[in-house]
Amino acid sequence: MKSLSILAAFLGGAVVGAAAGVLFAPERGEDTRNKIVDALRKRGIKLSRTEMEDLVDEIAAEVKE
């Protein structure tokens, strides 16, 4: 059980780190969101557009703090 939580924390950190890197790239917001969606889909994570926008907003707020 402990190894599962460590793996989940690692994967969560990797996703947040990748998203933060993409958010700081000098591109339009729509292009950035599309890159995030593509990266998540490659890992088997499927989100609706509203879920994805919420996730991007949440990550952006965390990065700004």
Side-chain angles (χ1 to χ4, degrees):
M1 190 71 172
K2 184 176 180 177
S3 63
L4 182 60
S5 64
I6 292 172
L7 178 62
F10 175 77
L11 291 175
V15 169
V16 170
V22 172
L23 287 173
F24 283 112
E27 293 183 358
R28 293 184 351 198
E30 185 176 342
D31 293 339
T32 301
R33 286 183 183 89
N34 288 335
K35 282 187 174 184
I36 292 171
V37 168
D38 290 340
L40 292 174
R41 285 190 179 143
K42 286 179 183 176
R43 289 164 179 80
I45 301 169
K46 296 184 180 182
L47 300 173
S48 70
R49 182 166 181 87
T50 55
E51 290 172 325
M52 187 271 306
E53 288 175 355
D54 291 342
L55 177 62
V56 169
D57 292 340
E58 185 177 320
I59 291 170
E62 289 291 324
V63 170
K64 287 180 183 177
E65 290 179 3

